[in-house]
């Protein structure tokens, strides 16, 4: 299964060990699954996960480790098609990556913008818990 993971899920995974988002992240990085990411999404991951506001919840070292693992495990796909379909234009990059990478699922914790779009162009958009419930 080819998986796109949004930044909110990545941050949630980093903030709480053994959480549903962390288990979803680990599943996405484990064969037969394949996590895909683009340069734009990597840049967002880096900017969001290292925000100082998270320092009081979890160490910078843990967050950096999670980021490094994702970057190492992720397969690079650079979208060529611009997608302008999400109510939050900042989330269009996830849709563009999913389309370019022939993703099966976008795992998101964004209940306002991405999750209501399920399914999008035949691509599942699921919460971490619903992704983990897939066979």
């Amino acid at each position: 299964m080819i998986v796109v993971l949004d930044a909110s899920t990545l941050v949630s995974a980093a903030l709480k060990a053994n959480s549903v988002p962390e288990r979803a992240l680990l599943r996405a990085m484990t064969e037969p699954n394949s996590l895909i990411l683009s340069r734009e999404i990597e840049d967002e991951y880096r900017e969001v996960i290292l925000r100082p506001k998270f320092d009081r919840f979890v160490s910078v070292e843990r967050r950096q480790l999670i980021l490094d693992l994702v970057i190492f495990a992720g397969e690079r796909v650079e979208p060529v098609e611009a997608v302008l379909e999400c109510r939050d234009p900042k989330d269009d990059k996830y849709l563009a990556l999913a389309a370019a990478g022939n993703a099966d699922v976008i795992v998101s914790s964004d209940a306002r913008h991405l999750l209501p779009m399920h399914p999008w162009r035949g691509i599942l958009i699921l919460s971490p818990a619903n992704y983990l419930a897939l066979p």
Side-chain angles (χ1 to χ4, degrees):
M1 182 172 290
I2 299 173
V3 182
V4 172
L5 195 81
D6 78 350
S8 62
T9 303
L10 178 72
V11 169
S12 296
L15 291 178
K16 186 156 172 55
N18 301 314
S19 63
V20 169
E22 185 186 55
R23 290 196 317 271
L25 170 62
L26 293 173
R27 179 180 184 184
M29 294 189 309
T30 305
E31 290 187 5
N33 300 296
S34 176
L35 179 68
I36 60 173
L37 67 148
S38 65
R39 169 58 67 188
E40 185 178 15
I41 288 174
E42 179 186 332
D43 290 346
E44 181 178 45
Y45 285 173
R46 187 178 313 285
E47 189 276 321
V48 172
I49 204 167
L50 297 176
R51 287 179 181 164
K53 72 179 184 178
F54 298 124
D55 291 352
R56 63 189 180 121
F57 300 109
V58 67
S59 70
V60 171
E61 292 80 15
R62 174 173 163 78
R63 288 178 283 150
Q64 185 65 56
L65 176 64
I66 298 283
L67 180 64
D68 290 346
L69 289 171
V70 167
I71 291 168
F72 179 77
E75 179 185 329
R76 294 286 176 175
V77 175
E78 293 303 329
V80 292
E81 171 195 0
V83 174
L84 305 170
E85 297 180 34
C86 189
R87 283 184 281 155
D88 182 352
K90 293 184 299 187
D91 289 335
D92 282 329
K93 65 181 153 288
Y94 297 107
L95 302 174
L97 174 60
N102 297 311
D104 299 295
V105 61
I106 298 170
V107 180
S108 175
S109 300
D110 185 346
R112 292 184 59 213
H113 302 112
L114 285 172
L115 289 172
M117 296 181 73
H118 168 75
W120 176 78
R121 294 190 189 179
I123 299 168
L124 303 174
I125 303 178
L126 302 175
S127 68
N130 287 338
Y131 169 62
L132 288 172
L134 290 175

